[in-house]
Amino acid sequence: MKITGSIKQDTLILYFDGELDHHTATATREAIDNMIQRYRFGKVIFNLSSLTFIDSSGIGVFYGRRRMIRLDGGRCAIVGVTKRIERFIHVSGLDKAFELYKDEDEALAVWSEACV
């Protein structure tokens, strides 16, 4: 699992490349937490367009980060859901817990409109 990040409009965008499973969940969780806490981002977008697999441990990573972000009054979204992982997103309920958008530009546009 490789995680990279970028910043757009005061929003941390995290890109996931590879498999998010019980083998990679702990390191992934720690990497995300470090990025969020170091820079105090209140808005985070998880881009899953290069995620190839996710299991229940990976789902837990997203739920835990959502809780942390929302407790601080922040906002988070998932974008780039591929056909390969779409079923896991729906079965796990992530589609109901997170704001879902086609891509990061759509999420940023909706969030920008909400601030006006």
Side-chain angles (χ1 to χ4, degrees):
M1 165 59 60
K2 179 180 176 186
I3 303 172
T4 56
S6 69
I7 302 166
K8 288 185 185 176
Q9 300 175 11
D10 297 327
T11 301
L12 175 62
I13 303 171
L14 298 173
Y15 302 90
F16 296 80
D17 188 4
E19 298 182 357
L20 181 51
D21 58 18
H22 68 280
H23 297 291
T24 60
T26 299
T28 300
R29 180 177 24 260
E30 290 171 359
I32 295 168
D33 289 353
N34 286 337
M35 284 185 254
I36 292 171
Q37 291 170 355
R38 174 185 281 162
Y39 301 107
R40 304 300 301 161
F41 283 100
K43 296 184 285 184
V44 180
I45 295 174
F46 300 103
N47 187 320
L48 308 186
S49 59
S50 295
L51 188 68
T52 57
F53 177 80
I54 190 167
D55 69 6
S56 60
S57 298
I59 297 295
V61 168
F62 291 114
Y63 272 114
R65 300 323 53 131
R66 176 188 177 270
R67 182 176 182 273
M68 181 177 70
I69 293 163
R70 303 247 344 215
L71 283 174
D72 283 341
R75 202 166 179 182
C76 50
I78 292 177
V79 303
V81 176
T82 63
K83 291 288 183 192
R84 173 171 250 167
I85 63 163
E86 183 176 31
R87 184 173 139 260
F88 294 103
I89 299 299
H90 294 299
V91 168
S92 68
L94 283 176
D95 60 331
K96 293 175 181 55
F98 281 80
E99 298 178 53
L100 291 181
Y101 298 101
K102 177 183 65 166
D103 56 33
E104 59 201 49
D105 291 332
E106 181 183 22
L108 291 169
V110 169
W111 290 356
S112 292
E113 291 172 11
C115 292
V116 174

